[in-house]
Amino acid sequence: MARKVGRPRKKYAPGERPAIVSVSVPEGLLRAIPETSNLSKEFSLYLELRYGGKDEEETELKIIREKINELENELSVWRAKEDLIMEKMRKKDEEKRALKFQQDAIAHFLRMRIINTVESGAGYDLNYHISELRNNAGIIISPSHLLDAIRTAEEDPSKLKEGAELLMELNVSLAPGCQKRPWWNMIMEDFRKLKEGTK
């Protein structure tokens, strides 16, 4: 079993290793220091100004660089959060597009099947059609809704709605595991070819 390795120890330059000291600070002064301030950095800055031998510009430059570093670290955190949210949005958008494609494909298949049934002029057995749709494509539709759709197509096929509207009008639902039914992939592939203009 591989041993987990944590963050490597920080390497300090000569004279930079931190030393822990005990310091007493008057309460009033301590309350004046913002909670977000790093006391160690504040104390180090004071000592550097007092005893470090650096002029004002050098000290100011160091403060600015430290602030820039802090802001860059904070910015990297916000960018990571932004990337995460954008990835979630992209996945949701893909799921919506996939769902719409499936709905449109099922509606197109059902619409053309109803129109072809009417145009063939042959008799039809509602229960047989309903059973075939459920078993082979996972499409669930009631006899009364299918009969209404057939009568509409007999009157005028163009009156049959398309896409999600047709599925809602006929109260169509999909059986669990419909993607594994024999006709499912064929329905999706035929509709994809139709959309691409290759059929």
Side-chain angles (χ1 to χ4, degrees):
M1 184 168 142
R3 185 179 166 208
K4 290 185 179 178
V5 179
R7 189 172 63 179
R9 289 181 179 274
K10 182 177 178 180
K11 292 182 179 178
Y12 296 98
E16 285 188 353
R17 182 174 295 281
I20 298 172
V21 295
S22 177
V23 180
S24 295
V25 181
E27 271 186 38
L29 181 58
L30 190 60
R31 281 197 294 269
I33 300 172
E35 289 183 8
T36 55
S37 293
N38 184 316
L39 288 178
S40 293
K41 284 186 178 179
E42 296 285 348
F43 186 61
S44 296
L45 177 61
Y46 169 76
L47 292 178
E48 207 167 85
L49 285 169
R50 182 75 187 259
Y51 302 108
K54 293 184 179 179
D55 60 26
E56 189 179 335
E57 285 78 14
E58 284 182 280
T59 304
E60 187 179 2
L61 182 61
K62 183 178 180 182
I63 293 169
I64 290 170
R65 284 174 175 167
E66 285 179 353
K67 189 63 179 175
I68 289 171
N69 189 49
E70 287 174 12
L71 291 172
E72 284 177 345
N73 289 337
E74 187 179 352
L75 183 60
S76 67
V77 170
W78 284 111
R79 280 183 174 152
K81 288 181 180 179
E82 179 190 32
D83 289 343
L84 185 62
I85 291 170
M86 288 178 68
E87 179 64 15
K88 285 181 180 177
M89 289 172 66
R90 185 186 62 77
K91 284 182 179 177
K92 281 183 181 178
D93 191 47
E94 282 180 0
E95 287 169 3
K96 284 180 184 177
R97 283 201 304 269
L99 181 61
K100 186 179 185 312
F101 180 87
Q102 288 182 6
Q103 288 177 336
D104 289 347
I106 291 295
H108 176 75
F109 167 77
L110 194 55
R111 187 175 188 275
M112 295 311 299
R113 186 176 173 86
I114 291 167
I115 291 172
N116 290 337
T117 298
V118 169
E119 289 180 349
S120 69
Y124 45 83
D125 181 341
L126 280 179
N127 290 328
Y128 171 77
H129 280 291
I130 288 166
S131 176
E132 192 174 40
L133 287 170
R134 183 185 183 104
N135 294 334
N136 292 316
I139 299 172
I140 301 172
I141 184 172
S142 69
S144 59
H145 282 103
L146 181 57
L147 185 59
D148 286 345
I150 289 171
R151 286 176 177 164
T152 299
E154 285 175 335
E155 182 184 331
D156 182 357
S158 67
K159 288 184 179 180
L160 279 177
K161 292 188 179 356
E162 298 183 26
E165 281 189 81
L166 178 66
L167 301 183
M168 286 190 291
E169 187 174 271
L170 301 182
N171 199 27
V172 170
S173 60
L174 296 174
C178 55
Q179 291 89 349
K180 295 179 181 178
R181 303 295 166 97
W183 292 354
W184 183 269
N185 289 337
M186 174 268 294
I187 292 170
M188 297 300 135
E189 182 63 16
D190 284 353
F191 187 68
R192 183 187 64 76
K193 289 179 180 176
L194 182 70
K195 294 286 281 183
E196 292 175 353
T198 56
K199 184 176 178 181

